[in-house]
Amino acid sequence: MPKLNMVQAINLALKEEMQRDKNVLLLGEDVGKDGGVFRVSEGLLEQFGPERIIDTPLAESGIVGAAIGMAVYGLRPVAEIQFMGFIYPALDQIFSHASRIRSRSRGRFTCPLVVRAPYGAGIKAPELHSESTEALFCHMPGIKVVVPSSPYNAKGLLLSSIRDPDPVIFLESTRLYRSIKEEVPEGEYSIPLGKARIVQEGKDVTLIAWGSMLQRALKAAEGIDADIIDLITLSPFDEEAIFKSVKKTGRVVIIHEAPKTCGFGAELSATIAEDAMLYLKAPIIRITGFDAVMPFSKLEDYYMPTAERIKKGIQEVMKY
Amino acid sequence: MVRFERTINMPEKILESFNVKHLSILDEKGDTDESLMPSLSDTDIKMMYELLVLSRTFDHQALNLQREGRIGSYAPILGQEASQIGSAFALEKTDWIFPSFREIGVYITMGYPLHMLFQYWSGDERGVKTPEELNIFPVCVPVGTQVPHAAGAAMAIKYKNKRKAVAAYFGDGGTSEGDFHEGMNMAGVFKLPVVFICQNNHWAISVPREKQTASKTIAQKAFAYGFEGIQVDGNDIFAVYKATKDALDKAKKGEGPTLIECFTYRMSDHTTSDDASRYRFKEELEAWKPKDPILRLRLFMEKKGLWTGQYQKEVEGRAKEAVDEAVKKEEAIEHPEPKDMFTFTFEKLTQRQTKQIRDFQ
Ligand SMILES: Cc1ncc(C[n+]2csc(CCOP(=O)(O)OP(=O)(O)O)c2C)c(N)n1
Ligand SMILES: [Mg+2]
């Protein structure tokens, strides 16, 4: 089986899905001739032509708005936003339309749309190229939020996201794009949305992470008997998997790279406190990015949760 | 009953029509149309030339530093120097400027400290703090979003009754964003003292100009918003200067906005992270080489007796010295402290930030 990095795995998913279903097409800035600024769509223009691999004008609201029009008509568009920090012009389309078309037409129209965007820090990119604002989308009912943490998962999850009947925001960690290689099978397999993945089983503490933070959680947990949950789908998230683990360990550390305040960790922490409080042996701890504007590259490493900071968090809950 | 038959004739009327003008003054051989020449002293012309050379030297050095890993990803201006220096030369320090991210030549012309520009591109945000005496905004990364700011600042100028104007810079790609259109429309509706300067360098990363808009020119977009647009040869510093100066004078007289399309070419990759050979032909690049903005001014100056080999050596020497000095100065600055990331979130730190800063100690 070929070993692929995440860029190649996503490319393969797009290719196979476009071969399987003529209604799938890709649109975005520089996705065609250039193959995307991260080369995710490399070779697809040659294979599928400019009617299905569409280099659009530089207009995010237009890209997502047009993709919504295609989706309601019955196509299965995949819209690429070049970096998550540039998705904001499209928020009106995502929040006011994609998320509620099913609801405001009482199911007459639906919006099976995928918006892919590279996210997160760690590649020393310029301002607004390192954002991790997934919580914004989780707050909005009607939008699914998926964050793969490895090449194998990325492919299976992208297939599920494209086939999903509702709009999905699909976030790809720029730091993971080329940093891990993994066996990725060709052909059909999909990974269900809404289900967490238990990466490692243990009994002392539950670590919850997603995307690029999973690697750091794994590193921090070396030598610790930890349950490690890769949440994968943030919205709707797998409450049951979390409760099951918390009931076993009684200790929780949540890790994300977004700022702490109103980050998705807050939702997880509140949910655990509401429904599994009596199983807790220690306060829930969040190891996150700081409540600061994402700094330029010179301070990037200080901003991101490190394995050391996560380890400290683990030690903290282990005191109880 | 009598039926009256009458032929009704309703020819379509032309309600509005417009002509898009193109201005050029200085050709590739260094000859000018004297009737169009703006009033510039020999000293002015030499200053323009020296700024062109300084900007190109900076650009070149930035690329070297990026290759050596001493600064981060960088957006070069090679080929666009006349569009930037020519327009900025017409601005006064009291005017307000909202640039995009490829305007090193504008910053340099306005007198922004060179070492701070290197600081910015090396990922140190202390480089974005504009000196008090200038009103140039920091680099704007989200494409096109600065355009409405320019309209708003122009509204403030109008409200305060000041004789100043605003310049907004953006690329051909930027004209596809909604914010561009909203800002332009506001400027037209409120007849604002603003000059919109589009550097049409023919590419937005890999997307060529003709795939960005079906309009024949970018200049013509202004007419839809009720004001004038003009295309100028963006590699002709006199044309760019004249168009900008006229537009600024008009703005300051209360006669409203102007869109200037500088017709130029991005001679390098989009940024140091890009490889333009993937999507554009070398022939196109080659065809633009003889149109070089600096070469053209040099030929003009030579004919006027303002340029000699000796002068060139001096100008290059001074530019190199200034750039090397700036690099040295930047590299001597101590690394920012981690807690700096919090300092300017609000005027005062929040309770939570104060706690979070302890993580660094
Ligand atoms: C809102 C937004 N979308 C996408 C990007 C990524 N991006 C950076 S520059 C660029 C192309 C800009 O083209 P143009 O406006 O012509 O300016 P040029 O690069 O040619 O100077 C793109 C797509 C961005 N910075 N902001
Ligand atoms: Mg351009």
Side-chain angles (χ1 to χ4, degrees):
Chain A
M1 213 182 291
K3 282 204 169 203
L4 303 184
N5 65 28
M6 200 144 124
V7 166
Q8 296 163 323
I10 295 170
N11 181 278
L12 184 62
L14 288 168
K15 189 161 85 184
E16 288 180 2
E17 202 58 5
M18 290 185 70
Q19 276 165 341
R20 193 189 65 85
D21 181 355
K22 279 216 151 38
N23 284 327
V24 178
L25 39 81
L26 177 72
L27 69 162
E29 294 156 14
D30 307 287
V31 299
K33 204 150 185 202
D34 198 32
V37 294
F38 286 101
R39 309 284 175 257
V40 167
S41 47
E42 173 120 54
L44 298 186
L45 175 69
E46 292 73 7
Q47 187 171 351
F48 298 104
E51 266 146 34
R52 294 182 70 192
I53 301 291
I54 306 166
D55 269 327
T56 65
L58 210 177
E60 290 75 13
S61 183
I63 293 167
V64 174
I68 290 173
M70 293 174 178
V72 298
Y73 192 90
L75 302 184
R76 294 267 164 172
V78 177
E80 178 177 298
I81 297 295
Q82 204 158 73
F83 284 87
M84 191 179 197
F86 308 139
I87 204 168
Y88 307 132
L91 286 189
D92 194 19
Q93 290 295 338
I94 297 171
F95 290 172
S96 311
H97 294 292
S99 72
R100 50 207 296 158
I101 281 172
R102 180 186 289 280
S103 172
R104 60 188 268 270
S105 69
R106 301 285 93 189
R108 167 64 177 83
F109 297 106
T110 60
C111 189
L113 155 75
V114 178
V115 180
R116 293 180 34 243
Y119 89 96
I123 55 163
K124 302 262 189 285
E127 193 183 3
L128 277 160
H129 289 67
S130 307
E131 310 305 290
S132 183
T133 47
E134 64 274 15
L136 292 179
F137 300 93
C138 297
H139 185 65
M140 202 45 72
I143 298 280
K144 295 185 180 177
V145 180
V146 175
V147 193
S149 60
S150 77
Y152 176 86
N153 285 304
K155 183 185 167 196
L157 287 164
L158 186 54
L159 294 187
S160 302
S161 299
I162 296 173
R163 295 174 195 182
D164 196 88
D166 288 302
V168 176
I169 306 286
F170 192 88
L171 300 174
E172 303 162 5
S173 159
T174 53
R175 212 162 62 87
L176 293 183
Y177 264 152
R178 293 175 190 281
S179 62
I180 357 176
K181 278 197 163 191
E182 193 172 64
E183 293 197 340
V184 178
E186 281 187 18
E188 194 70 15
Y189 75 94
S190 64
I191 297 175
L193 304 189
K195 281 265 167 272
R197 181 169 70 104
I198 310 301
V199 183
Q200 175 184 313
E201 296 222 41
K203 57 179 187 342
D204 287 342
V205 55
T206 301
L207 304 188
I208 309 174
W210 52 90
S212 79
M213 283 298 118
L214 183 69
Q215 296 296 323
R216 297 206 171 173
L218 281 163
K219 187 148 196 298
E222 276 167 17
I224 290 164
D225 197 13
D227 239 17
I228 301 185
I229 300 180
D230 176 5
L231 200 57
I232 296 178
T233 306
L234 307 193
S235 179
F237 69 98
D238 190 350
E239 290 184 284
E240 274 165 29
I242 293 174
F243 294 147
K244 199 168 153 223
S245 173
V246 173
K247 284 176 187 170
K248 180 169 60 167
T249 65
R251 300 183 186 90
V252 186
V253 178
I254 301 163
I255 302 121
H256 60 67
E257 81 179 72
K260 183 172 209 167
T261 303
C262 294
F264 197 63
E267 180 59 37
L268 297 175
S269 171
T271 304
I272 296 166
E274 260 173 4
D275 289 348
M277 173 76 135
L278 299 179
Y279 296 91
L280 288 176
K281 297 177 190 143
I284 301 162
I285 285 195
R286 286 176 284 163
I287 304 296
T288 67
F290 297 112
D291 287 325
V293 174
M294 177 73 214
F296 286 14
S297 60
K298 281 205 173 168
L299 292 182
E300 184 177 85
D301 292 340
Y302 295 92
Y303 175 87
M304 302 259 282
T306 54
E308 291 71 57
R309 272 176 62 206
I310 300 168
K311 208 165 208 138
K312 260 206 219 153
I314 298 173
Q315 283 159 0
E316 198 55 39
V317 295
M318 292 307 292
K319 285 185 192 154
Y320 295 85
Chain B
M1 218 167 78
V2 188
R3 277 177 58 199
F4 293 94
E5 296 240 344
R6 137 179 118 90
T7 326
I8 298 184
N9 196 355
M10 288 200 228
E12 282 178 351
K13 282 179 262 178
I14 307 280
L15 296 180
E16 176 98 291
S17 58
F18 57 82
N19 295 305
V20 188
K21 290 183 216 143
H22 175 97
L23 175 70
S24 45
I25 300 175
L26 172 67
D27 71 13
E28 288 166 34
K29 297 198 190 73
D31 295 319
T32 54
D33 180 337
E34 284 304 320
S35 70
L36 294 172
M37 194 58 191
S39 94
L40 286 165
S41 68
D42 287 355
T43 321
D44 287 337
I45 292 170
K46 280 173 125 176
M47 206 185 288
M48 279 179 159
Y49 186 72
E50 289 164 29
L51 285 164
L52 289 170
V53 173
L54 178 60
S55 302
R56 188 163 287 184
T57 310
F58 182 101
D59 214 42
H60 191 72
Q61 181 66 348
L63 289 174
N64 287 338
L65 295 178
Q66 195 280 333
R67 255 176 244 126
E68 293 165 15
R70 287 157 72 187
I71 65 168
S73 160
Y74 173 75
I77 67 163
L78 187 67
Q80 298 176 222
E81 293 90 347
S83 297
Q84 302 197 1
I85 285 118
S87 56
F89 204 83
L91 286 159
E92 294 174 61
K93 282 211 173 13
T94 47
D95 293 329
W96 279 64
I97 306 169
F98 292 87
S100 75
F101 54 87
R102 197 191 297 288
E103 264 86 50
I104 214 82
V106 175
Y107 286 94
I108 289 176
T109 305
M110 297 314 291
Y112 202 92
L114 295 185
H115 75 278
M116 290 179 76
L117 295 173
F118 280 123
Q119 223 179 343
Y120 172 82
W121 290 102
S122 72
D124 180 344
E125 39 213 282
R126 291 170 298 182
V128 302
K129 188 170 182 187
T130 305
E132 280 305 326
E133 68 280 10
L134 296 179
N135 299 311
I136 183 165
F137 238 60
V139 163
C140 178
V141 171
V143 168
T145 51
Q146 72 278 26
V147 177
H149 306 162
M155 281 173 100
I157 286 170
K158 200 171 171 185
Y159 175 69
K160 296 267 187 184
N161 238 329
K162 300 282 185 202
R163 210 188 141 77
K164 296 184 199 177
V166 182
Y169 285 88
F170 46 87
D172 43 309
T175 66
S176 295
E177 290 281 6
D179 277 1
F180 162 78
H181 296 273
E182 296 183 26
M184 290 273 289
N185 189 43
M186 288 251 189
V189 167
F190 298 117
K191 216 171 179 195
L192 299 174
V194 52
V195 181
F196 298 105
I197 301 167
C198 177
Q199 289 174 78
N200 169 10
N201 63 7
H202 286 81
W203 291 90
I205 311 188
S206 71
V207 178
R209 163 41 203 97
E210 61 277 13
K211 284 202 182 159
Q212 203 60 247
T213 169
S215 299
K216 181 147 194 224
T217 67
I218 283 173
Q220 75 199 57
K221 292 182 187 285
F223 294 96
Y225 299 109
F227 57 92
E228 206 188 341
I230 181 173
Q231 187 187 74
V232 304
D233 180 343
N235 288 11
D236 164 356
I237 195 160
F238 296 144
V240 176
Y241 172 79
K242 181 177 165 40
T244 315
K245 183 79 175 62
D246 290 351
L248 285 167
D249 290 346
K250 171 180 134 188
K252 289 176 189 181
K253 274 192 279 179
E255 290 167 16
T258 309
L259 169 64
I260 300 172
E261 172 187 359
C262 299
F263 198 83
T264 181
Y265 195 78
R266 194 192 81 205
M267 296 299 285
S268 31
D269 293 337
H270 169 68
T271 64
T272 48
S273 321
D274 176 51
D275 172 11
S277 70
R278 291 174 62 87
Y279 52 77
R280 71 178 184 189
F281 293 113
K282 233 176 109 198
E283 292 72 40
E284 191 181 281
L285 188 72
E286 291 303 320
W288 275 87
K289 273 192 182 151
K291 299 185 204 284
D292 184 70
I294 302 188
L295 175 66
R296 206 185 279 207
L297 183 60
R298 198 192 86 192
L299 294 173
F300 168 84
M301 288 167 72
E302 204 172 353
K303 287 176 196 179
K304 295 272 162 188
L306 295 173
W307 184 94
T308 60
Q310 180 58 28
Y311 170 71
Q312 180 68 16
K313 255 192 225 138
E314 281 167 27
V315 173
E316 278 175 8
R318 279 203 297 273
K320 194 170 168 336
E321 206 175 304
V323 168
D324 288 348
E325 190 77 21
V327 175
K328 236 197 270 161
K329 193 164 171 186
E330 194 276 325
E331 293 193 332
I333 294 171
E334 75 295 354
H335 196 273
E337 284 190 54
K339 70 175 166 54
D340 284 2
M341 75 174 79
F342 293 100
T343 317
F344 296 101
T345 321
F346 295 113
E347 191 189 5
K348 293 197 186 84
L349 290 176
T350 63
Q351 292 177 13
R352 184 165 266 194
Q353 286 180 317
T354 310
K355 261 201 245 160
Q356 290 182 350
I357 286 177
R358 282 190 222 129
D359 270 19
F360 297 126
Q361 277 136 23

